[in-house]
Amino acid sequence: MGINRQIIYPFIFVVLLISITVTIAGAASVPEVKVKPVGHFGGYIETVDVVGNYAYIGQGQDLVILDIANSSSPVSVGRVTTKNLVSGVKISGNYAYVAVGNDGLVIVDVSNPSSPILKGSYDTPGYASNLAISGNYAYVADDYNGLDIIDISNSSSPILKGNYNTSGYASNVAISGNYAYLTAGDNGLLVVDISNPSSPILKGNCDTRGIACSVAVSGNYTYVADGDNGLVIVDTSNPSSPTFKGKYYTSGSVYGVAVSGKYAYAADFTKGLLVFDISNPSSPALKGSYNDVDLDGIVVSGNYAYITVYRGLEIIDIKRPSSPILKGSYDTVGYADNIEVSGNYAYVAAGIMGLAIIDISNPSSPIFKGSCGPEDFSTDVAVSGNYAYVTGFSDLEIVDISNPSSPIRKGSCTIEGSAEDVAVSGNYVYLAVGEEGLEIVDISHPFSPNIKGKYNTAGRARSVAVSGNYAYVADGDNGFLVFDISNPSSPILKGKYETGYADCVAVSGNYVYLVEDSDGLVIFDINNPSSPIRKGSESRHIGICKDISVSGNYAYIANSGLVIVNISNSSSPIVEGGFESPWGILDVSISGDSIYVANSNNGIEILKLDLEQPVTSVVNLSVTQLENNTQILKQENGKTVANVKQMPGQKNETSTPEKESKKTPGFEIICGVVSLLAVFCIKGSNKRRLH
């Protein structure tokens, strides 16, 4: 052969050892960007139960315990976070039994209200929407799975005892004696015999003629919150043959009902709290009311009615049923559409609630500070100095936030089109207003803002970012636009770049970060704004963008979840991490190492960056291990490629970037395989010589 085997064998071994060591050490030293939840505030409240001096509410995914000893000023004393939105809660003894939608039943030890502890759980097959407790059983209205009966005698390990599968969806349940009274949507009221929990049997039913949402039982009568059909009373003295007895049409939508003595209390979504005299069940009479909107859950205890509304919990004094009055409230953020962070405060566009201000000086324990109701449904917010600029569907409102506890509306103006994004720079607000394009509002006089200029784009203006004398617009199917705004009364189109459907845009330094539907995140060099230059893109995991925020080496993209992209190399951005949300992240704002997300029905969530520390190690492998380890390396490298890791410590690319290693993980493996083949060739040659 002309080859000295005493030289080549050691050489091959060294090549193998180096290649495998480089591969494994390289993969092990690449960090992963992770985020961890550290705080949560708000979320839609649709359920409440009261025992003694405590009210237990579902607030987004949290079970929150309020001290209501002073009914004028309820105070949060404890909370525990579940995996899903809390849709129902009942208290029995030292335990709270919580319905958490797709995650079923959760049992919480509340013997110490300031420190509730998750005790046990049972994941029901359906969507646990509400529940009732009787003896050792929890009766769960499990949507299209019907009624689940769960043995809770061992709180740490609840088990399914029986099920009745309704023909419609089950939304709520009440227990009286041996019967469960189940609301089943357009199938009305169902009466189920539960004397044998292992084998519940349908006993009777009544078509309530509406959408049966909630139920309460008192004596021989069952009271049904029947949606748009109002309050319906059913005679259930004979469970086998429940009969329609009476109703009251509210002209609103009744979602919740409670009964105490000769009065029924209805939570009407549009009419507020309605009090009915039910001494004559055939003809309930309206006795009094308390006007409010967006009511859902209700429970009555003593002289108070506790009702859930879009902004939290309200305590209504009902000592005089003819004139109920507000006694106290617990305010929160029911719905978060958009969020802006400035200093120690988060400013939230909270839909029907308007602008909500949250103290985030302690991110793990955010505190509601103040709110300012809207003239329109609030959709977006930007902050500059002592003012917040809040958009509705058709107007811009300016709110003085110099006193966060008491924000005051200063002025407003009607805008053309539908505001989809807002940015502030100097004395002007820049609005992306959909099909009307770009609008510029003069805010130099906060009491009287006025439209200064506009440009009707050819697409649908979805997002706007401003830097210096230029505005950058994501214009839907018209791509990415650059405007000279040095004269705000007459913005001039300076540059355009054809892209896919452009959803979101952000600007930082000399780069614009655009998210569009075909190539995901696209980075443009805007050193010459008239002629933006495409630098790089990353399309994996991006999807439809709701918002984008840029901070340091990372772009944070809200796309129902959260995607984190390393942008330190503008030519090669790369996804490095993310955070999933079952509710839909609509907006994201960054402050330091904290990430604040508007999480729709789950309020706001506060996350922290948690960078995985690189671990450098040298792994020694013998030649006889090569075949198995090659397979392992392929799997590890496959995972590395899938997770697309890159060092977060890389400098931001403001000058000539450092050269990056272009060596692919498969390169070292190929070296090893080639070396191994050389060994086989030499051995084969030696065998032929012997023969």
Side-chain angles (χ1 to χ4, degrees):
M1 286 275 300
I3 300 176
N4 190 330
R5 284 172 292 175
Q6 292 180 335
I7 296 176
I8 195 167
Y9 285 168
F11 172 75
I12 291 172
F13 177 78
V14 170
V15 170
L16 288 172
L17 182 61
I18 292 174
S19 64
I20 294 171
T21 300
V22 169
T23 300
I24 296 179
S29 65
V30 179
E32 180 180 3
V33 177
K34 296 179 180 179
V35 293
K36 57 182 179 181
V38 295
H40 174 243
F41 185 83
Y44 191 71
I45 297 177
E46 59 178 319
T47 185
V48 57
D49 199 14
V50 173
V51 174
N53 287 329
Y54 296 99
Y56 303 80
I57 62 173
Q59 179 179 285
Q61 67 180 123
D62 291 347
L63 171 68
V64 178
I65 304 175
L66 306 176
D67 185 332
I68 54 172
N70 179 359
S71 57
S72 300
S73 182
V75 178
S76 173
V77 294
R79 72 177 59 213
V80 65
T81 299
T82 70
K83 293 181 180 180
N84 217 313
L85 297 180
V86 175
S87 54
V89 59
K90 291 294 184 293
I91 309 301
S92 181
N94 288 326
Y95 296 100
Y97 299 88
V98 187
V100 286
N102 288 325
D103 286 288
L105 171 70
V106 170
I107 302 175
V108 181
D109 185 334
V110 292
S111 54
N112 180 0
S114 62
S115 183
I117 301 170
L118 290 170
K119 190 72 174 178
S121 65
Y122 181 84
D123 189 357
T124 60
Y127 183 95
S129 57
N130 219 311
L131 75 168
I133 306 297
S134 181
N136 287 328
Y137 297 100
Y139 300 84
V140 179
D142 202 30
D143 201 68
Y144 283 99
N145 191 53
L147 175 67
D148 290 330
I149 303 177
I150 300 173
D151 186 334
I152 53 174
S153 53
N154 180 354
S155 58
S156 301
S157 183
I159 59 174
L160 182 66
K161 190 70 172 180
N163 168 267
Y164 176 78
N165 197 337
T166 59
S167 55
Y169 64 90
S171 58
N172 210 323
V173 60
I175 306 297
S176 181
N178 287 327
Y179 297 99
Y181 298 83
L182 200 64
T183 52
D186 53 10
N187 284 321
L189 174 70
L190 306 182
V191 183
V192 179
D193 185 335
I194 54 171
S195 54
N196 180 0
S198 301
S199 183
I201 302 170
L202 179 65
K203 196 70 172 179
N205 67 286
C206 177
D207 183 1
T208 56
R209 303 170 192 170
I211 303 295
C213 303
S214 185
V215 60
V217 179
S218 180
N220 290 327
Y221 297 99
T222 298
Y223 302 83
V224 179
D226 209 31
D228 294 347
N229 193 43
L231 174 69
V232 171
I233 303 176
V234 180
D235 184 339
T236 50
S237 55
N238 179 1
S240 300
S241 182
T243 57
F244 180 88
K245 189 67 175 181
K247 68 171 283 188
Y248 190 99
Y249 177 67
T250 66
S251 75
S253 296
V254 179
Y255 288 158
V257 61
V259 176
S260 180
K262 66 174 186 176
Y263 295 102
Y265 302 84
D268 190 299
F269 191 78
T270 58
K271 300 294 182 179
L273 173 65
L274 305 178
V275 184
F276 297 97
D277 185 332
I278 53 172
S279 52
N280 179 3
S282 301
S283 183
L286 182 63
K287 186 72 174 180
S289 65
Y290 173 78
N291 291 327
D292 208 333
V293 293
D294 201 15
L295 276 69
D296 199 332
I298 181 172
V299 65
V300 172
S301 179
N303 290 324
Y304 298 102
Y306 300 82
I307 56 177
T308 64
V309 295
Y310 66 92
R311 61 178 174 271
L313 178 74
E314 291 186 341
I315 303 176
I316 311 296
D317 187 330
I318 54 172
K319 284 195 294 286
R320 296 181 58 195
S322 59
S323 55
I325 58 173
L326 178 66
K327 184 69 174 180
S329 65
Y330 169 77
D331 294 325
T332 185
V333 175
Y335 180 87
D337 200 336
N338 195 276
I339 186 167
E340 180 85 0
V341 173
S342 180
N344 287 328
Y345 296 98
Y347 301 85
V348 182
I352 193 172
M353 185 181 184
L355 174 69
I357 303 177
I358 314 300
D359 184 334
I360 53 171
S361 53
N362 179 1
S364 63
S365 184
I367 301 170
F368 184 86
K369 199 68 177 176
S371 66
C372 182
E375 292 180 354
D376 196 356
F377 189 96
S378 62
T379 58
D380 205 348
V381 59
V383 174
S384 180
N386 287 329
Y387 294 100
Y389 302 88
V390 184
T391 60
F393 289 128
S394 60
D395 68 358
L396 170 71
E397 296 182 6
I398 302 178
V399 180
D400 185 335
I401 54 173
S402 54
N403 179 2
S405 300
S406 182
I408 301 170
R409 184 183 294 106
K410 283 290 188 179
S412 66
C413 73
T414 300
I415 58 180
E416 299 177 21
S418 176
E420 301 196 22
D421 194 23
V422 57
V424 182
S425 181
N427 288 326
Y428 298 97
V429 162
Y430 300 84
L431 299 168
V433 286
E435 294 178 354
E436 296 296 324
L438 173 69
E439 287 186 10
I440 303 174
V441 180
D442 185 336
I443 54 171
S444 54
H445 301 290
F447 286 99
S448 56
N450 62 88
I451 295 178
K452 186 73 172 179
K454 64 175 296 185
Y455 190 100
N456 197 339
T457 62
R460 182 180 182 88
R462 302 271 292 137
S463 180
V464 59
V466 176
S467 179
N469 287 327
Y470 294 94
Y472 304 90
V473 176
D475 200 37
D477 54 13
N478 191 42
F480 164 49
L481 309 180
V482 182
F483 291 93
D484 183 333
I485 52 173
S486 54
N487 179 3
S489 60
S490 182
I492 300 170
L493 181 64
K494 291 293 285 187
K496 177 181 178 181
Y497 199 101
E498 296 288 345
T499 67
Y501 192 93
D503 271 318
C504 302
V505 64
V507 60
S508 180
N510 291 325
Y511 296 98
V512 158
Y513 302 87
L514 181 84
V515 181
E516 46 104 330
D517 66 351
S518 57
D519 288 336
L521 174 65
V522 182
I523 302 178
F524 293 93
D525 184 327
I526 52 168
N527 273 294
N528 179 1
S530 302
S531 182
I533 300 171
R534 179 175 172 140
K535 292 288 288 183
S537 66
E538 168 66 291
S539 61
R540 290 170 299 169
H541 313 298
I542 303 297
I544 297 174
C545 179
K546 306 291 185 182
D547 186 57
I548 179 173
S549 185
V550 174
S551 179
N553 286 335
Y554 295 97
Y556 303 83
I557 299 170
N559 67 345
S560 293
L562 179 70
V563 177
I564 302 174
V565 183
N566 189 320
I567 53 172
S568 55
N569 180 354
S570 62
S571 300
S572 184
I574 195 165
V575 170
E576 285 194 348
F579 181 79
E580 292 184 358
S581 167
W583 308 285
I585 293 175
L586 303 179
D587 194 48
V588 57
S589 184
I590 311 299
S591 180
D593 62 349
S594 295
I595 306 166
Y596 300 83
V597 297
N599 213 357
S600 58
N601 283 334
N602 195 37
I604 68 170
E605 195 155 8
I606 303 172
L607 314 170
K608 284 276 191 182
L609 281 177
D610 183 22
L611 299 182
E612 181 180 296
Q613 295 301 315
V615 179
T616 304
S617 60
V618 177
V619 181
N620 295 313
L621 300 173
S622 67
V623 174
T624 57
Q625 292 175 301
L626 178 64
E627 183 176 352
N628 291 333
N629 285 328
T630 300
Q631 179 63 31
I632 293 171
L633 287 172
K634 287 179 180 177
Q635 292 172 354
E636 290 179 351
N637 286 323
K639 181 179 179 182
T640 302
V641 172
N643 289 337
V644 204
K645 313 274 180 26
Q646 189 173 341
M647 291 295 292
Q650 283 182 285
K651 295 180 181 179
N652 206 348
E653 187 188 345
T654 54
S655 57
T656 304
E658 298 178 7
K659 291 183 179 180
E660 300 177 15
S661 172
K662 298 298 180 182
K663 188 181 293 183
T664 62
F667 175 80
E668 292 87 358
I669 297 174
I670 293 171
C671 288
V673 172
V674 170
S675 301
L676 186 61
L677 289 175
V679 172
F680 291 154
C681 288
I682 293 171
K683 285 186 176 181
S685 177
N686 289 340
K687 287 181 180 179
R688 285 193 295 273
R689 285 183 177 182
L690 292 174
H691 286 83

